[in-house]
């Protein structure tokens, strides 16, 4: 039921598929080590997404990928250039 983890305004949030948001104490670094890498991917410093939350992927002009997430995120989410290849492999699995 978890859509993604998000770092925003110096707080970390867990966002559920139904759109509900919860402040969490864990850092994204700590969460990244605890989550199943088959189901979750860290797209950059501020976001870890679940496969089910990725609605679509759009190529961005500078080589990064823009993600359209479900539920919709307030800020645009991009896969960092360094992680694009790994993300695409992860998404195709």
């Amino acid at each position: 039921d978890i859509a993604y983890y998000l770092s925003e305004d110096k707080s970390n949030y867990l966002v559920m598929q139904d759109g509900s948001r919860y402040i969490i104490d864990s850092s994204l670094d700590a969460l990244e080590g605890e989550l199943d890498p088959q189901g979750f991917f860290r797209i950059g410093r501020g976001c870890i997404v679940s496969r089910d939350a990725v609605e679509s992927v759009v190529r961005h002009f500078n080589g990064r990928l823009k993600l359209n997430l479900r539920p919709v995120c307030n800020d645009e989410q991009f896969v960092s250039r360094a992680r694009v290849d790994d993300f695409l492999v992860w998404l195709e699995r």
Side-chain angles (χ1 to χ4, degrees):
D1 292 346
I2 297 170
Y4 47 88
Y5 295 91
L6 186 64
S7 182
E8 187 176 82
D9 298 326
K10 298 185 181 183
S11 295
N12 294 322
Y13 298 89
L14 167 124
V15 180
M16 304 297 288
Q17 290 288 348
D18 66 5
S20 56
R21 293 168 50 115
Y22 303 96
I23 292 179
I24 55 173
D25 291 329
S26 297
S27 70
L28 294 187
D29 289 336
L31 285 169
E32 185 178 18
E34 297 173 9
L35 295 170
D36 176 7
Q38 299 297 324
F40 291 89
F41 190 91
R42 186 157 189 181
I43 62 169
R45 274 187 294 173
C47 189
I48 300 173
V49 299
S50 76
R51 185 182 315 278
D52 295 335
V54 179
E55 190 168 80
S56 64
V57 178
V58 179
R59 284 253 179 223
H60 202 259
F61 71 92
N62 62 1
R64 297 187 313 171
L65 301 175
K66 179 183 174 207
L67 301 185
N68 294 314
L69 300 176
R70 186 184 27 173
V72 174
C73 187
N74 295 338
D75 296 325
E76 292 182 327
Q77 294 299 318
F78 294 92
V79 179
S80 67
R81 279 189 295 265
R83 298 174 192 222
V84 166
D85 291 338
D86 291 338
F87 175 79
L88 292 173
V89 169
W90 172 80
L91 193 61
E92 291 298 319
R93 282 190 211 151

